[in-house]
Amino acid sequence: SFFVGYALTNAMISPSLDDPVVLSVSSLIVGILASALVSLYFFRKGIARKLRIYRQFSVSLLEGIDADVRDQLHLSFKGSPVDELVKLQYIVANDGALPISTPIEPLSLRLPKGARLLDAQIVHVHPEGTQVRLEALVKDDQDEIRLGFPLLNGGNYFVLTVLVRGKMDAKDL
């Protein structure tokens, strides 16, 4: 104990990396800090629940068609004419490490006024067997899609495709 106290006192008076005690204490401090930072990183990553929605594409299907062809092209859906047709595709994924189970409220996608929902489908789920509920609400003033799931583990995702009548920008959603 006398030797340790003398060595620490001597190291404090004239610190030098050539001194084995100073080198040992410095290495210990650096090791503790590095371990703490790595532990903090993996702790935060491990508790993260990250539900992300990525717009894969948005395509106006009738855009760019020659005016003469477009005048002769007549589309209708359930008896109503379709002048503009937009297809959207989204990926909904849990990018976190922990599962997300039964959100308090379902995810919802509200279409802007003037745009009408023609179709919405879950076209892919990963892994197979992941349960996803899709509810399409067609209202007089604004259409809405609601998505629910009992469990979405880390790395799980599903793909939603939406077909909309009317001119719209995907940024409006």
Side-chain angles (χ1 to χ4, degrees):
S1 114
F2 171 75
F3 177 72
V4 173
Y6 172 76
L8 287 176
T9 306
N10 191 23
M12 292 176 158
I13 295 171
S14 61
S16 169
L17 288 180
D18 294 336
D19 187 355
V21 174
V22 172
L23 185 60
S24 297
V25 170
S26 300
S27 298
L28 180 66
I29 291 171
V30 169
I32 290 171
L33 289 175
S35 297
L37 289 174
V38 169
S39 296
L40 181 63
Y41 169 77
F42 283 107
F43 174 74
R44 287 191 174 174
K45 182 180 177 186
I47 63 168
R49 290 180 174 93
K50 296 179 183 176
L51 184 64
R52 304 248 172 120
I53 301 172
Y54 302 98
R55 186 177 67 234
Q56 199 168 21
F57 64 80
S58 169
V59 179
S60 179
L61 299 174
L62 301 177
E63 190 174 299
I65 296 177
D66 186 71
D68 294 334
V69 173
R70 187 140 183 194
D71 289 340
Q72 296 175 25
L73 184 63
H74 302 285
L75 294 174
S76 65
F77 182 78
K78 294 185 179 179
S80 298
V82 176
D83 295 329
E84 299 290 335
L85 192 60
V86 179
K87 184 175 183 180
L88 305 156
Q89 187 158 306
Y90 295 93
I91 297 175
V92 179
N94 179 358
D95 286 344
L98 294 181
I100 298 171
S101 61
T102 315
I104 295 171
E105 291 193 23
L107 298 174
S108 65
L109 175 74
R110 289 183 189 89
L111 299 180
K113 293 187 187 276
R116 302 305 301 191
L117 178 64
L118 299 180
D119 187 40
Q121 295 181 15
I122 303 296
V123 295
H124 181 72
V125 294
H126 175 78
E128 284 187 36
T130 300
Q131 296 177 8
V132 180
R133 292 182 314 277
L134 182 141
E135 182 182 6
L137 303 170
V138 179
K139 301 177 183 177
D140 291 334
D141 58 340
Q142 193 174 28
D143 296 346
E144 181 178 350
I145 299 166
R146 290 186 183 163
L147 302 164
F149 48 85
L151 180 67
L152 203 61
N153 288 315
N156 290 8
Y157 65 91
F158 58 92
V159 180
L160 168 70
T161 299
V162 180
L163 195 59
V164 177
R165 177 182 69 205
K167 192 166 187 94
M168 62 172 277
D169 189 356
K171 295 175 189 168
D172 295 336
L173 299 176

